Amino acid sequence: MNNPYESPLEEGSPPERRDTISLVAAIFEGAAWSVGSTVPIAALMVSFFRFPIPFGGIVTGPKYLVAAMIALLMYGVFLGGYLLVAMAGGVAGAVGRAIGSTRARQRLILSILAIGASFVLLFMLATLDWVIGPW
């Protein structure tokens, strides 16, 4: 039986997904998760692994947290790293929307993927000297 308040689907068109996030909202949410997670990931990275400080070299340890946050500000804002992180988070948001079946599952998947993308990009920054040599 057809619902008189719904428009009938055209022949061959896919059914509407009612309990989902719009694509634009998923992209922006993924970008927000990715950019927002850079500070805690960088803090953990400098505390337990390593982090490059401009004009200071590669440092490790919690005593370099302030220097790492200043470096993150320089890399992210002044050198445009946050644009790259936001684009990776937007892609993660779109993928999370495509994979998830419900709104809650989409949000969970896109947040995990966006945080993972942020981690991968910061890890690449921390290990860049292994690829190109000291800088």
Side-chain angles (χ1 to χ4, degrees):
M1 181 171 180
N2 291 336
N3 184 350
Y5 299 106
E6 285 184 1
S7 63
L9 294 175
E10 294 179 16
E11 194 67 33
S13 67
E16 295 180 31
R17 292 171 52 177
R18 297 215 180 263
D19 188 32
T20 60
I21 310 171
S22 73
L23 181 60
V24 174
I27 289 171
F28 280 117
E29 191 170 338
W33 270 104
S34 190
V35 170
S37 67
T38 56
V39 171
I41 290 172
L44 289 172
M45 200 165 281
V46 74
S47 296
F48 298 109
F49 183 56
R50 58 187 292 189
F51 199 79
I53 305 296
F55 309 113
I58 306 293
V59 297
T60 302
K63 65 181 180 182
Y64 295 107
L65 277 173
V66 174
M69 294 305 113
I70 294 170
L72 186 66
L73 179 72
M74 185 184 133
Y75 293 136
V77 175
F78 301 129
L79 296 179
Y82 278 133
L83 181 63
L84 181 63
V85 171
M87 288 190 312
V91 170
V95 170
R97 180 190 182 273
I99 292 174
S101 57
T102 63
R103 184 182 303 251
R105 189 167 301 259
Q106 286 174 345
R107 286 216 161 109
L108 176 68
I109 292 170
L110 76 84
S111 63
I112 290 170
L113 289 176
I115 292 170
S118 180
F119 174 78
V120 167
L121 291 173
L122 284 172
F123 185 78
M124 287 172 55
L125 176 67
T127 59
L128 189 61
D129 64 321
W130 294 351
V131 177
I132 66 169
W135 46 293

